[in-house]
Amino acid sequence: MEIKIEGLEAKIGDTPILRGVDLTMKSGEVHALMGPNGSGKSTLSNVVFGHPSYEVTGGRVLVDGEDILEMEPHERARLGLFLAFQYPVEISGVTVGRFLRRAVEIRFEGQKEVRTKGFLKDLREAMDFMEIDQQFINRYLNEGFSGGEKKRMEILQMLMLQPQFSILDETDSGLDIDALAVVARGVNKMRDHDFGALIITHYQRILDHIKPDFVHIMYQGRIVTSGGGEIVTELEKRGYDWVRAQYGQEEEVHE
Amino acid sequence: MKNNTVGEVFTGVDGLGDYIASLPEPEWLRETRLAALERFSAMDWPDTAVEEWRRSDISSYDFNAYNMRGAKQSAAADSADSQVEPGLAGRIRFEGPDAVATSLDPDLASQGVIFEPLSEFVLQNSANHGGSISKATRAVRDLIMDSVHKADNKLKLWHYAGWTHGVVLYVPRFMEIKNSFVLDFQESGDSVITAPQIFVVLEEGARVEVIQRVHGADEGEVLLNESVDIHIGDGAACRYVALHNLNIDSSSFGTTLARISRDGHLHHGIAAFGSMFTKYRIDAELNGPGSDVLLDGIYYPAEDQHVDLRTVQTHFAPKCASHALYRGAIRDEAHGVYQGLIYVGEEGSETDAYLTNNNLLLNDGAQADSIPCLQIHTNDVKCSHGSTTGKLNRNEVFYLASRGFSPEEAEEILLQGFFEPIVARLPEALQEEIRDLIAARFVPVEIL
């Protein structure tokens, strides 16, 4: 799968947030998107998935050559895209088991039949791998979960849904070092030629666990520089002030 | 006493006196009807000047335009030997006021459990039976007199003067009954009053579950005015769950009053789906220390249905707990009203009480009123209430969409999920039925 973002512009209300984002990513690649708070990173993930709060004012998002911006969010998901949310919502009254069962059915519709026994076996294995207690199968999705539990639940969903490309929106934020390691393990398990990821993060910490092939820095609604792991080292040394000084413009952008 | 006047029809409130005179009932029972009639005659219909009725205007009803008749006793007698279905403790099925099938697990009957139509119970406990009245009869009489005494509106008194049929469930001391008792009411006819009266009497340490279904024919206007009286003895436990689903031309009025003794427990549930107009009140009186109650409610009015449910958690003793959780989804031009009162008397120290009401408005034009109220007359209590009224959450729909769920399916899942914490703790036999009723009302609003 190839995702090609071309000149993407979007606003929320009257405030422009994305001001011409260009980014090409393929299955088999792991990209990191970094940048200071308010630079538009989370907006990018929401716009790619079609969140109704954002209005696209320009550009295209091509998935294997097809513009997805006219598609409904669920149609985009059904292409094999996955979004791990920064703040996963609580879905009261819907158990993890029932939700995932149906999500897996939708994901593999027409490809393979989802049988209860096999599904539960896969789910239990994935939960073990993500160090999530089996009792969570019967809990309502994310309701009363700790921040770390919610993030692990996002990665569990990703493991079950086997997307071709996944955007992880600040999955690392708020996690302690052990939880971070578990989350990273889940992402690394997915890594192969048929899976790509965009890891959105404010910190370099998670990139010690998931080595990105490409690193992009976003600032004021644009990707201002791209490169390899050396950019992370640069950021670690000099902080975001360096980005601000080098690429900053007059206007302020709010996320 | 007159002879049994099977099937004689009386009209409206004006026919009440003649109706009572026609019934082949023992003196003790007739006296309760007459006591209710006396208070009834002296009272005005509740109007919107009274807070409890402020949002439910009944001034357009012509209560003389409905007909009523008492139960045919022969019908019940013919069917008294029906076999009990596996997994049930007993079942009584009414068509209109007539009990058409009655069953009771013979083991339970032999241990003193009484489960029968009121008409039969009354015959067996008439004064002709040697003058002495049984413990069960005394309990039933006390419940009626208590309710007549406490009744604060004319509709309730109308019921106690003119109830048409009903059930007695009496459970002796320390009988723990795992299987459920089922009450099926099938209403039909046009301009018909149906006024069932249900008694549940649990002696000390008894445990039961009662499932009540009120269904109606697809057409015809029925006016239901029911009352449920529950007595829960020391350490006894009762689960009573009612599903109301009369047709859209009908009206439902009713009250449930549960008296709970020391260490007793009640789990009451009501799911209100049917009727153009519903006004129902559930009273739980915690009369003994250590007793507790859980009140669950589900309502989902659509079109121009009006549903007004009121719960009252009354703490008359220390160390009692009461929780109410009522959830309503309101569609089209419908109107949902929930009024919840927590009353803690001077004796109610160490009370733990809360009530929660959540409403989902599914479109503009749907209306919800949520009126929680606390009246606390002592210190050292933990009481709170919370109420929310909102729309389906767009972020939740988006989240599900990001997992491939269509907006329609996402909304349906969220609606089911909204009710599910309540549905999941109701009797299993009702869960699928209620989920199906919720599903049947679903219309996507496409908020994404």
Side-chain angles (χ1 to χ4, degrees), chain B residues 26 28 116 120-129 133-134 137:
Chain B
W28 66 265
E116 56 193 21
E120 264 185 73
F121 176 82
V122 159
L123 273 191
Q124 287 163 17
N125 293 278
S126 68
N128 304 341
H129 261 260
I133 67 170
S134 69
T137 310

Side-chain angles (χ1 to χ4, degrees), chain B residues 74-135:
Chain B
S74 54
D78 289 345
S79 60
D81 296 326
S82 298
Q83 283 264 316
V84 68
E85 293 153 67
L88 292 188
R91 178 182 205 131
I92 298 180
R93 197 159 65 80
F94 290 92
E95 285 179 6
D98 306 320
V100 294
T102 300
S103 63
L104 170 63
D105 182 338
D107 284 349
L108 298 177
S110 71
Q111 292 176 78
V113 172
I114 298 170
F115 181 61
E116 56 193 21
L118 254 181
S119 50
E120 264 185 73
F121 176 82
V122 159
L123 273 191
Q124 287 163 17
N125 293 278
S126 68
N128 304 341
H129 261 260
S132 68
I133 67 170
S134 69
K135 215 173 163 184

